[in-house]
Amino acid sequence: MSETATHLLIPFAAVSSEDGQRQFKDMNGPHLRQLLDTLTLVDSDVGTDESFSPPHERALARAQGLPATDGSIPWAAEIAHTRAAALGLKDVHTLPWGFVTLCHGDVGTSSMALQNPDALRVTDAESRQLLNDMSPYFAEDGLTLHHLPDLPSTWLVCGEPLRGVRTASLDRVLSTGLDAELAAWQPQGQAAAKLRRLQNEMQMLLYTHTVNDARNLARTAAINSIWLHGTGDLTALSPKVSTNIVMPRNLADAALKEDWPAWVQAWAQLDATLCADLLKRAQAGEAVVLTLCGERSALRYELRPKSAFERLKVGFRGIFGLQPAYLLPRQL
């Protein structure tokens, strides 16, 4: 694909929830159906519910030339590389990096659910105070924290203990009951035990921290946990694919809340806007890519000449009224 393609990458295009699938059946989605008739399936990334990196992150990594190794996509290292000068970072290419995100966990009698960190609305002052107080504990384990001015709820962390560590994406654990599955989603690797101990220490520190005292007085959710994710290094980069990537989050936001009416409504909005625009581009002969991601797998479609058999399938769908969009939950 020589020209720059428009790549529509849709996370949580399908869900495993029976309620979500049931409501999805009633969605019309005319532009999505036409796109699937127009484009050709060129790649299937088949995964599992247990993968640390969800399919939309694996697809985005490939499009950006990053290694798509499960649990080791170097999202934090990429940020450290692009902002090295502004943040005064050193050894960006030689050290492994990760993200530490401040979280709120709803603790029940037998489980804990992490809520979306965006809902905490962590202020810059809170972020800097917590980073200052947590940094000595991280330093004892050979890790250094760095503040991100435009993202108070998340810090960069670097250090050799992160080498080879696999971590679960936040999209895998948000609003998920973690008690029974906590061990499965915790960091894995040589330093995993050290990192789990550090997380427990930070939870105890947060329990009595003055930042949370103030948040309790303001009746704001406490910052009572941290989550390590986005770990990896930049030693294995691939050439970037020439694409203009558009990745909406409205389906993901609704799915993570298990708000299925909102998820179906978000699909209808996507169909009427971004899918309609991509279809228009495809019909004009422009280079386009559509990647539909579920909770396990991803399907990548491109505009390519169709074989006689593929044209025949499109004809059958037109005659018998079959809707490929209806089948997405089963495929993803």
Side-chain angles (χ1 to χ4, degrees):
M1 201 176 294
S2 57
E3 61 180 301
T4 300
T6 299
H7 186 171
L8 178 57
L9 198 164
I10 305 180
F12 290 91
V15 293
S16 58
S17 163
E18 292 184 3
D19 289 339
Q21 292 185 31
R22 191 179 305 113
Q23 296 191 40
F24 186 85
K25 292 179 181 180
D26 298 327
M27 193 196 82
N28 187 20
H31 299 107
L32 175 61
R33 292 203 310 273
Q34 289 183 68
L35 274 171
L36 296 180
D37 281 343
T38 303
L39 305 181
T40 300
L41 178 64
V42 297
D43 184 64
S44 299
D45 175 10
V46 180
T48 68
D49 293 321
E50 292 78 30
S51 61
F52 274 23
S53 301
H56 57 275
E57 292 192 9
R58 302 195 301 264
L60 182 61
R62 294 187 185 98
Q64 294 184 345
L66 297 173
T69 307
D70 186 46
S72 299
I73 301 175
W75 299 120
E78 183 192 33
I79 293 294
H81 171 70
T82 57
R83 302 190 185 184
L87 298 176
L89 304 178
K90 299 179 180 179
D91 301 322
V92 172
H93 288 286
T94 59
L95 286 175
W97 294 78
F99 288 126
V100 171
T101 293
L102 302 171
C103 299
H104 173 80
D106 287 329
V107 181
T109 55
S110 61
S111 66
M112 179 179 74
L114 289 183
Q115 301 304 311
N116 192 327
D118 294 341
L120 281 175
R121 300 187 183 278
V122 178
T123 68
D124 187 73
E126 290 173 331
S127 177
R128 291 182 183 275
Q129 184 177 350
L130 290 173
L131 184 145
N132 181 70
D133 293 343
M134 290 186 184
S135 287
Y137 294 90
F138 279 78
E140 288 179 2
D141 286 323
L143 299 168
T144 304
L145 294 173
H146 299 276
H147 184 258
L148 290 171
D150 59 333
L151 194 60
S153 63
T154 296
W155 308 321
L156 287 171
V157 60
C158 66
E160 282 301 324
L162 298 179
R163 184 80 63 188
V165 169
R166 296 173 59 245
T167 51
S169 165
L170 272 172
D171 278 350
R172 282 305 199 202
V173 298
L174 289 182
S175 298
T176 299
L178 294 178
D179 189 66
E181 305 175 12
L182 187 58
W185 292 119
Q186 287 290 348
Q188 295 185 5
Q190 187 172 354
K194 178 187 294 186
L195 294 170
R196 288 195 292 269
R197 173 187 51 75
L198 182 60
Q199 182 186 37
N200 290 334
E201 290 177 352
M202 295 306 96
Q203 288 174 341
M204 289 187 288
L205 182 149
L206 288 166
Y207 184 71
T208 57
H209 200 279
T210 55
V211 163
N212 279 324
D213 290 340
R215 291 180 71 91
N216 289 335
L217 289 174
R219 297 185 177 180
T220 306
I223 303 167
N224 59 10
S225 187
I226 60 172
W227 193 259
L228 175 66
H229 58 109
T231 50
D233 56 58
L234 294 175
T235 56
L237 293 179
S238 303
K240 288 188 177 182
V241 181
S242 181
T243 56
N244 174 30
I245 302 171
V246 179
M247 192 174 80
R249 286 286 303 182
N250 48 353
L251 285 176
D253 293 339
L256 291 172
K257 294 176 184 176
E258 298 185 341
D259 187 343
W260 305 123
W263 181 73
V264 173
Q265 184 178 6
W267 240 131
Q269 182 182 15
L270 279 177
D271 185 77
T273 54
L274 294 179
C275 288
D277 177 71
L278 197 72
L279 177 62
K280 183 178 179 180
R281 292 175 182 274
Q283 291 172 337
E286 296 183 25
V288 300
V289 180
L290 173 66
T291 301
L292 298 170
C293 305
E295 297 175 25
R296 298 174 294 274
S297 306
L299 303 174
R300 178 186 171 101
Y301 299 84
E302 294 181 4
L303 183 61
R304 293 185 179 181
K306 289 185 178 292
S307 67
F309 176 69
E310 289 168 329
R311 290 195 299 271
L312 184 62
K313 286 196 297 182
V314 172
F316 276 129
R317 284 200 289 266
I319 295 171
F320 295 106
L322 301 181
Q323 299 182 13
Y326 174 85
L327 301 177
L328 283 180
R330 300 177 186 177
Q331 297 180 41
L332 298 174

Coordinates of all heavy atoms in Angstrom, one line a residue, residues 205-288:
L205 N 0.5 2.4 52.0 CA 0.9 3.8 52.1 C -0.3 4.7 51.8 O -0.6 5.7 52.5 CB 2.1 4.1 51.2 CG 2.6 5.5 51.2 CD1 4.1 5.5 50.9 CD2 1.9 6.4 50.2
L206 N -1.0 4.3 50.8 CA -2.2 5.1 50.3 C -3.3 5.0 51.3 O -4.1 6.0 51.4 CB -2.7 4.6 49.0 CG -1.8 4.9 47.8 CD1 -2.2 4.0 46.6 CD2 -1.9 6.3 47.4
Y207 N -3.4 4.0 52.1 CA -4.5 3.8 53.0 C -4.6 4.9 54.0 O -5.7 5.4 54.4 CB -4.4 2.4 53.7 CG -5.5 2.1 54.6 CD1 -6.8 1.8 54.1 CD2 -5.4 2.1 56.0 CE1 -7.9 1.5 54.9 CE2 -6.5 1.8 56.9 CZ -7.7 1.5 56.3 OH -8.8 1.2 57.1
T208 N -3.5 5.4 54.5 CA -3.5 6.5 55.5 C -2.8 7.8 55.0 O -2.4 8.6 55.7 CB -2.7 6.0 56.7 OG1 -1.3 5.7 56.3 CG2 -3.3 4.8 57.4
H209 N -2.7 7.9 53.6 CA -2.0 9.1 53.1 C -2.9 10.4 53.2 O -4.1 10.3 53.1 CB -1.7 8.9 51.6 CG -0.6 9.7 51.1 ND1 -0.8 11.0 50.7 CD2 0.7 9.5 51.0 CE1 0.3 11.6 50.3 NE2 1.3 10.7 50.5
T210 N -2.2 11.5 53.4 CA -2.9 12.8 53.5 C -3.7 13.2 52.3 O -4.7 13.9 52.4 CB -2.0 13.9 53.9 OG1 -0.9 13.9 52.9 CG2 -1.3 13.7 55.2
V211 N -3.2 12.7 51.1 CA -4.0 13.0 49.9 C -5.4 12.4 50.0 O -6.4 13.0 49.6 CB -3.2 12.5 48.6 CG1 -4.2 12.3 47.4 CG2 -2.1 13.4 48.3
N212 N -5.5 11.2 50.5 CA -6.8 10.5 50.6 C -7.6 11.1 51.8 O -8.8 11.1 51.7 CB -6.6 9.0 50.8 CG -6.4 8.3 49.4 OD1 -6.9 8.7 48.4 ND2 -5.5 7.3 49.4
D213 N -6.9 11.6 52.8 CA -7.7 12.3 53.8 C -8.4 13.5 53.3 O -9.6 13.7 53.6 CB -6.7 12.8 54.9 CG -6.1 11.6 55.7 OD1 -6.7 10.5 55.7 OD2 -5.0 11.9 56.4
A214 N -7.7 14.2 52.4 CA -8.4 15.4 51.8 C -9.5 14.9 50.8 O -10.6 15.6 50.7 CB -7.3 16.2 51.1
R215 N -9.2 13.9 50.1 CA -10.2 13.4 49.1 C -11.5 12.8 49.9 O -12.6 13.0 49.4 CB -9.6 12.3 48.2 CG -8.6 12.8 47.3 CD -8.0 11.7 46.4 NE -9.0 11.2 45.4 CZ -9.1 11.7 44.2 NH1 -8.4 12.7 43.8 NH2 -10.0 11.2 43.4
N216 N -11.3 12.2 51.0 CA -12.4 11.7 51.8 C -13.3 12.9 52.3 O -14.5 12.8 52.3 CB -11.9 10.9 53.0 CG -11.3 9.6 52.6 OD1 -11.7 9.0 51.5 ND2 -10.4 9.0 53.4
L217 N -12.6 14.0 52.8 CA -13.3 15.2 53.2 C -14.2 15.8 52.1 O -15.2 16.3 52.3 CB -12.4 16.2 53.8 CG -11.8 15.9 55.1 CD1 -10.7 16.9 55.5 CD2 -12.8 15.8 56.2
A218 N -13.6 15.7 50.8 CA -14.3 16.2 49.7 C -15.2 15.2 49.1 O -15.8 15.5 48.0 CB -13.2 16.6 48.6
R219 N -15.4 14.1 49.7 CA -16.3 13.0 49.3 C -15.9 12.6 47.8 O -16.8 12.3 47.0 CB -17.7 13.4 49.4 CG -18.2 13.7 50.8 CD -19.7 14.0 50.9 NE -20.1 14.1 52.3 CZ -21.3 14.4 52.6 NH1 -22.3 14.5 51.7 NH2 -21.6 14.6 53.9
T220 N -14.6 12.4 47.6 CA -14.1 12.0 46.3 C -13.4 10.6 46.5 O -12.9 10.3 47.6 CB -13.0 13.0 45.8 OG1 -13.5 14.3 45.8 CG2 -12.5 12.6 44.4
A221 N -13.6 9.8 45.5 CA -13.1 8.4 45.6 C -11.6 8.4 46.0 O -10.8 9.2 45.4 CB -13.3 7.6 44.3
A222 N -11.2 7.5 46.9 CA -9.8 7.4 47.3 C -8.9 6.8 46.2 O -9.4 6.0 45.4 CB -9.7 6.6 48.6
I223 N -7.7 7.2 46.2 CA -6.6 6.6 45.4 C -6.0 5.5 46.3 O -5.2 5.8 47.2 CB -5.6 7.6 45.0 CG1 -6.2 8.8 44.2 CG2 -4.5 6.9 44.1 CD1 -5.2 9.9 44.0
N224 N -6.5 4.2 46.1 CA -6.1 3.2 47.0 C -5.3 2.1 46.4 O -5.0 1.1 47.1 CB -7.3 2.6 47.7 CG -8.3 2.0 46.8 OD1 -8.0 1.9 45.6 ND2 -9.5 1.7 47.3
S225 N -4.8 2.2 45.1 CA -4.1 1.2 44.5 C -3.3 1.8 43.3 O -3.5 2.9 42.9 CB -4.9 0.0 44.0 OG -4.2 -1.1 43.6
I226 N -2.4 1.0 42.8 CA -1.6 1.3 41.6 C -1.7 0.1 40.7 O -1.9 -1.0 41.1 CB -0.2 1.7 41.9 CG1 0.6 0.5 42.5 CG2 -0.1 3.0 42.7 CD1 2.1 0.8 42.7
W227 N -1.5 0.4 39.4 CA -1.4 -0.7 38.4 C -0.2 -0.5 37.5 O -0.1 0.6 36.9 CB -2.7 -0.8 37.6 CG -2.8 -2.1 36.8 CD1 -2.5 -2.3 35.5 CD2 -3.1 -3.4 37.4 NE1 -2.6 -3.7 35.2 CE2 -3.0 -4.3 36.3 CE3 -3.4 -3.8 38.7 CZ2 -3.2 -5.7 36.5 CZ3 -3.6 -5.2 38.9 CH2 -3.5 -6.1 37.8
L228 N 0.6 -1.5 37.4 CA 1.8 -1.4 36.5 C 1.4 -2.1 35.1 O 0.9 -3.2 35.1 CB 3.0 -2.2 37.1 CG 4.2 -2.4 36.3 CD1 4.9 -1.0 36.0 CD2 5.2 -3.4 36.9
H229 N 1.7 -1.3 34.0 CA 1.3 -1.8 32.7 C 2.2 -1.1 31.7 O 3.0 -0.3 32.0 CB -0.1 -1.6 32.4 CG -0.5 -0.1 32.5 ND1 -0.9 0.6 31.4 CD2 -0.7 0.7 33.6 CE1 -1.2 1.9 31.8 NE2 -1.1 2.0 33.1
G230 N 2.1 -1.6 30.4 CA 2.8 -1.0 29.3 C 4.3 -1.2 29.4 O 5.1 -0.4 28.8
T231 N 4.8 -2.3 29.9 CA 6.2 -2.5 30.1 C 6.8 -3.1 28.9 O 6.2 -3.8 28.0 CB 6.4 -3.6 31.3 OG1 5.6 -4.7 31.0 CG2 6.1 -2.9 32.6
G232 N 8.1 -2.8 28.7 CA 8.9 -3.2 27.6 C 10.0 -2.3 27.2 O 10.2 -1.2 27.9
D233 N 10.8 -2.6 26.2 CA 11.9 -1.7 25.8 C 11.8 -1.6 24.3 O 11.0 -2.2 23.6 CB 13.2 -2.2 26.2 CG 13.5 -3.7 25.7 OD1 13.5 -3.9 24.5 OD2 13.7 -4.5 26.6
L234 N 12.7 -0.7 23.7 CA 12.6 -0.4 22.3 C 13.7 -1.1 21.5 O 14.2 -0.5 20.5 CB 12.7 1.1 22.1 CG 11.6 2.0 22.6 CD1 11.8 3.5 22.5 CD2 10.3 1.6 21.9
T235 N 14.1 -2.3 21.9 CA 15.2 -2.9 21.2 C 14.7 -3.6 19.9 O 15.6 -4.0 19.1 CB 15.8 -4.0 22.1 OG1 14.8 -4.9 22.6 CG2 16.4 -3.3 23.4
A236 N 13.4 -3.8 19.7 CA 13.0 -4.6 18.5 C 11.9 -3.8 17.8 O 10.7 -4.1 17.9 CB 12.4 -5.9 19.0
L237 N 12.3 -2.8 17.1 CA 11.3 -1.9 16.4 C 11.2 -2.4 14.9 O 12.2 -2.9 14.3 CB 11.7 -0.5 16.4 CG 11.7 0.2 17.7 CD1 12.2 1.7 17.6 CD2 10.3 0.2 18.3
S238 N 10.0 -2.3 14.4 CA 9.7 -2.7 13.0 C 9.4 -1.4 12.2 O 9.0 -0.4 12.9 CB 8.6 -3.7 12.9 OG 8.9 -4.8 13.6
P239 N 9.5 -1.4 10.9 CA 9.1 -0.2 10.1 C 7.6 0.1 10.4 O 6.8 -0.8 10.4 CB 9.4 -0.6 8.7 CG 10.4 -1.7 8.8 CD 10.1 -2.4 10.0
K240 N 7.3 1.4 10.5 CA 5.9 1.8 10.7 C 5.1 1.6 9.4 O 5.6 1.9 8.3 CB 5.8 3.2 11.2 CG 6.2 3.4 12.6 CD 5.9 4.8 13.1 CE 6.3 5.0 14.6 NZ 6.0 6.4 15.1
V241 N 3.9 1.2 9.5 CA 3.0 1.1 8.4 C 2.5 2.5 8.1 O 2.2 3.3 9.1 CB 1.8 0.1 8.7 CG1 0.9 0.1 7.5 CG2 2.4 -1.2 9.0
S242 N 2.5 2.9 6.8 CA 2.0 4.2 6.5 C 0.5 4.3 6.6 O -0.2 4.1 5.6 CB 2.5 4.6 5.1 OG 2.1 5.9 4.7
T243 N 0.0 4.7 7.8 CA -1.4 4.8 8.0 C -1.7 6.0 8.9 O -1.0 6.4 9.7 CB -2.0 3.5 8.6 OG1 -1.3 3.3 9.8 CG2 -1.9 2.3 7.7
N244 N -2.9 6.5 8.6 CA -3.5 7.5 9.5 C -4.5 6.8 10.4 O -5.6 6.5 10.0 CB -4.2 8.6 8.7 CG -4.9 9.6 9.6 OD1 -4.5 9.9 10.7 ND2 -6.0 10.2 9.1
I245 N -4.1 6.5 11.7 CA -4.9 5.7 12.5 C -5.9 6.5 13.3 O -5.6 7.4 14.0 CB -3.9 4.9 13.5 CG1 -2.9 4.1 12.7 CG2 -4.8 4.0 14.4 CD1 -1.8 3.5 13.6
V246 N -7.1 6.0 13.2 CA -8.2 6.5 14.0 C -8.7 5.4 14.9 O -9.2 4.4 14.4 CB -9.4 7.1 13.1 CG1 -10.5 7.6 14.0 CG2 -8.9 8.1 12.2
M247 N -8.7 5.6 16.3 CA -9.1 4.6 17.2 C -10.0 5.1 18.2 O -9.6 5.7 19.3 CB -7.9 3.9 17.9 CG -8.2 2.7 18.7 SD -6.8 1.8 19.4 CE -6.5 2.7 20.8
P248 N -11.4 5.1 17.9 CA -12.3 5.6 18.9 C -12.4 4.7 20.2 O -12.2 3.5 20.1 CB -13.7 5.5 18.1 CG -13.4 4.4 17.1 CD -12.0 4.4 16.8
R249 N -12.8 5.4 21.3 CA -12.8 4.7 22.6 C -14.3 4.6 23.1 O -14.5 4.1 24.2 CB -12.0 5.4 23.6 CG -10.5 5.3 23.4 CD -10.0 3.9 23.8 NE -10.3 3.6 25.2 CZ -9.9 2.4 25.8 NH1 -9.3 1.5 25.1 NH2 -10.3 2.2 27.0
N250 N -15.3 5.1 22.4 CA -16.6 5.1 22.9 C -17.2 3.7 23.1 O -17.9 3.5 24.1 CB -17.6 6.0 22.1 CG -17.5 5.7 20.6 OD1 -16.6 4.9 20.1 ND2 -18.4 6.3 19.8
L251 N -16.9 2.8 22.2 CA -17.3 1.4 22.5 C -16.6 0.8 23.7 O -17.3 0.1 24.5 CB -17.0 0.5 21.2 CG -17.9 0.7 20.0 CD1 -17.4 -0.2 18.9 CD2 -19.3 0.4 20.3
A252 N -15.4 1.0 23.8 CA -14.6 0.5 25.0 C -15.1 1.0 26.3 O -15.3 0.3 27.3 CB -13.1 0.8 24.8
D253 N -15.4 2.4 26.3 CA -15.9 3.0 27.6 C -17.2 2.3 28.0 O -17.4 2.1 29.2 CB -16.0 4.5 27.4 CG -14.7 5.2 27.2 OD1 -13.6 4.6 27.6 OD2 -14.7 6.3 26.6
A254 N -18.1 2.1 27.0 CA -19.4 1.5 27.4 C -19.2 0.1 27.8 O -19.9 -0.4 28.7 CB -20.3 1.7 26.2
A255 N -18.4 -0.7 27.1 CA -18.2 -2.1 27.3 C -17.6 -2.3 28.7 O -18.0 -3.3 29.4 CB -17.4 -2.8 26.3
L256 N -16.6 -1.5 29.1 CA -16.0 -1.7 30.4 C -16.9 -1.4 31.5 O -16.7 -1.8 32.6 CB -14.7 -0.8 30.4 CG -13.6 -1.3 29.5 CD1 -12.4 -0.2 29.5 CD2 -13.0 -2.6 29.9
K257 N -17.9 -0.6 31.3 CA -18.9 -0.3 32.3 C -20.1 -1.3 32.2 O -21.0 -1.3 33.0 CB -19.5 1.1 32.1 CG -18.6 2.2 32.3 CD -19.2 3.6 31.9 CE -18.3 4.7 32.0 NZ -18.9 6.0 31.6
E258 N -20.0 -2.2 31.2 CA -21.1 -3.2 30.9 C -22.4 -2.5 30.7 O -23.5 -3.0 31.2 CB -21.1 -4.2 32.1 CG -19.9 -5.0 32.2 CD -20.0 -6.2 33.2 OE1 -20.9 -6.1 34.1 OE2 -19.2 -7.1 33.1
D259 N -22.4 -1.3 30.1 CA -23.6 -0.6 29.8 C -23.9 -0.9 28.3 O -23.5 -0.2 27.4 CB -23.3 0.9 29.9 CG -24.6 1.8 29.8 OD1 -25.5 1.3 29.2 OD2 -24.6 3.0 30.2
W260 N -24.7 -2.0 28.1 CA -24.9 -2.5 26.8 C -25.8 -1.6 25.9 O -25.6 -1.5 24.7 CB -25.4 -3.9 26.8 CG -24.4 -4.8 27.6 CD1 -24.7 -5.5 28.7 CD2 -23.0 -4.9 27.4 NE1 -23.6 -6.1 29.2 CE2 -22.5 -5.8 28.4 CE3 -22.1 -4.4 26.5 CZ2 -21.2 -6.1 28.5 CZ3 -20.8 -4.7 26.5 CH2 -20.3 -5.6 27.6
P261 N -26.8 -0.9 26.5 CA -27.6 0.0 25.6 C -26.6 1.1 25.1 O -26.8 1.6 24.0 CB -28.6 0.6 26.6 CG -28.9 -0.6 27.5 CD -27.5 -1.2 27.8
A262 N -25.7 1.6 26.0 CA -24.8 2.7 25.6 C -23.8 2.1 24.5 O -23.4 2.9 23.6 CB -24.0 3.2 26.8
W263 N -23.4 0.9 24.7 CA -22.5 0.2 23.7 C -23.2 0.1 22.3 O -22.6 0.5 21.3 CB -22.1 -1.1 24.2 CG -21.2 -1.9 23.3 CD1 -19.8 -1.6 23.1 CD2 -21.5 -3.0 22.5 NE1 -19.3 -2.5 22.3 CE2 -20.3 -3.4 21.9 CE3 -22.6 -3.8 22.3 CZ2 -20.2 -4.5 21.0 CZ3 -22.5 -4.9 21.4 CH2 -21.3 -5.2 20.8
V264 N -24.4 -0.3 22.3 CA -25.1 -0.4 21.0 C -25.3 1.0 20.4 O -25.2 1.2 19.2 CB -26.5 -1.1 21.2 CG1 -27.3 -1.0 19.9 CG2 -26.3 -2.5 21.6
Q265 N -25.7 2.0 21.2 CA -25.8 3.4 20.8 C -24.5 3.9 20.2 O -24.5 4.6 19.2 CB -26.3 4.3 21.9 CG -26.6 5.7 21.5 CD -27.1 6.5 22.6 OE1 -27.2 6.1 23.8 NE2 -27.5 7.8 22.3
A266 N -23.4 3.6 20.9 CA -22.1 4.0 20.4 C -21.8 3.4 19.0 O -21.2 4.0 18.2 CB -21.0 3.6 21.4
W267 N -22.2 2.1 18.9 CA -22.0 1.4 17.6 C -22.8 2.1 16.5 O -22.3 2.3 15.4 CB -22.4 0.0 17.7 CG -21.3 -1.0 17.4 CD1 -21.0 -2.1 18.1 CD2 -20.4 -1.0 16.2 NE1 -19.9 -2.8 17.6 CE2 -19.6 -2.2 16.4 CE3 -20.2 -0.2 15.2 CZ2 -18.6 -2.5 15.5 CZ3 -19.2 -0.5 14.2 CH2 -18.4 -1.6 14.4
A268 N -24.0 2.5 16.8 CA -24.8 3.2 15.8 C -24.2 4.5 15.4 O -24.2 4.9 14.2 CB -26.2 3.4 16.4
Q269 N -23.6 5.2 16.4 CA -23.0 6.5 16.1 C -21.7 6.3 15.3 O -21.5 7.0 14.3 CB -22.6 7.2 17.4 CG -22.0 8.6 17.2 CD -21.6 9.2 18.5 OE1 -21.5 8.6 19.6 NE2 -21.3 10.5 18.5
L270 N -20.9 5.3 15.6 CA -19.7 5.0 14.8 C -20.1 4.6 13.4 O -19.4 5.0 12.4 CB -19.0 3.8 15.4 CG -18.0 4.1 16.6 CD1 -17.4 2.8 17.1 CD2 -16.9 5.1 16.2
D271 N -21.2 3.8 13.2 CA -21.6 3.4 11.9 C -22.0 4.7 11.0 O -21.7 4.7 9.8 CB -22.8 2.5 12.0 CG -23.2 1.9 10.6 OD1 -22.5 1.0 10.1 OD2 -24.2 2.4 10.0
A272 N -22.7 5.6 11.7 CA -23.1 6.8 11.0 C -22.0 7.8 10.7 O -22.2 8.7 9.8 CB -24.3 7.4 11.7
T273 N -20.9 7.7 11.4 CA -19.9 8.7 11.2 C -18.6 8.1 10.7 O -18.3 8.2 9.5 CB -19.6 9.4 12.6 OG1 -19.3 8.4 13.6 CG2 -20.8 10.2 13.0
L274 N -17.8 7.5 11.5 CA -16.5 7.0 11.0 C -16.6 5.9 10.0 O -15.8 5.8 9.0 CB -15.7 6.5 12.2 CG -15.3 7.6 13.2 CD1 -14.5 7.0 14.4 CD2 -14.4 8.7 12.6
C275 N -17.6 4.9 10.2 CA -17.7 3.9 9.2 C -18.3 4.5 7.9 O -17.8 4.0 6.8 CB -18.7 2.8 9.7 SG -18.0 1.8 11.0
A276 N -19.1 5.4 8.0 CA -19.7 6.0 6.7 C -18.5 6.8 6.0 O -18.5 6.7 4.8 CB -20.8 7.0 7.1
D277 N -17.7 7.4 6.7 CA -16.5 8.1 6.1 C -15.6 7.2 5.5 O -15.1 7.4 4.3 CB -15.8 9.0 7.2 CG -14.6 9.7 6.6 OD1 -14.8 10.6 5.8 OD2 -13.5 9.3 6.9
L278 N -15.3 6.0 6.2 CA -14.4 5.1 5.6 C -15.0 4.4 4.3 O -14.2 4.2 3.4 CB -14.0 4.0 6.6 CG -12.8 3.1 6.3 CD1 -11.5 4.0 6.5 CD2 -12.7 1.9 7.2
L279 N -16.2 4.2 4.4 CA -16.9 3.6 3.2 C -16.8 4.6 2.0 O -16.5 4.1 0.9 CB -18.4 3.3 3.5 CG -19.2 2.8 2.3 CD1 -18.7 1.4 1.8 CD2 -20.7 2.6 2.8
K280 N -17.0 5.8 2.3 CA -16.9 6.8 1.2 C -15.5 6.8 0.6 O -15.4 6.9 -0.6 CB -17.3 8.2 1.8 CG -17.3 9.3 0.7 CD -17.7 10.6 1.4 CE -17.7 11.8 0.4 NZ -18.1 13.1 1.0
R281 N -14.5 6.7 1.4 CA -13.2 6.7 1.0 C -12.9 5.5 0.1 O -12.2 5.5 -0.9 CB -12.2 6.8 2.1 CG -12.2 8.1 2.9 CD -11.3 8.1 4.1 NE -11.3 9.3 4.9 CZ -10.6 10.4 4.6 NH1 -9.7 10.3 3.6 NH2 -10.7 11.5 5.3
A282 N -13.4 4.3 0.6 CA -13.2 3.1 -0.1 C -13.9 3.1 -1.5 O -13.3 2.7 -2.5 CB -13.7 1.9 0.7
Q283 N -15.1 3.7 -1.5 CA -15.8 3.7 -2.8 C -15.1 4.7 -3.8 O -15.3 4.6 -5.0 CB -17.2 4.2 -2.5 CG -18.0 3.1 -1.8 CD -19.4 3.6 -1.4 OE1 -19.6 4.8 -1.2 NE2 -20.4 2.7 -1.2
A284 N -14.3 5.6 -3.2 CA -13.6 6.6 -4.1 C -12.2 6.0 -4.5 O -11.4 6.6 -5.2 CB -13.4 7.9 -3.3
G285 N -11.9 4.8 -4.0 CA -10.7 4.1 -4.4 C -9.5 4.5 -3.5 O -8.4 4.1 -3.9
E286 N -9.7 5.1 -2.4 CA -8.6 5.5 -1.5 C -8.2 4.2 -0.7 O -8.9 3.3 -0.6 CB -9.1 6.6 -0.5 CG -9.4 7.9 -1.1 CD -9.8 8.9 -0.1 OE1 -9.3 8.8 1.1 OE2 -10.5 9.9 -0.4
A287 N -6.9 4.3 -0.3 CA -6.4 3.2 0.6 C -7.0 3.3 2.0 O -6.9 4.3 2.7 CB -4.9 3.3 0.7
V288 N -7.7 2.2 2.3 CA -8.4 2.2 3.7 C -8.1 0.9 4.3 O -7.9 -0.2 3.7 CB -9.9 2.4 3.6 CG1 -10.2 3.8 2.9 CG2 -10.6 1.3 2.8

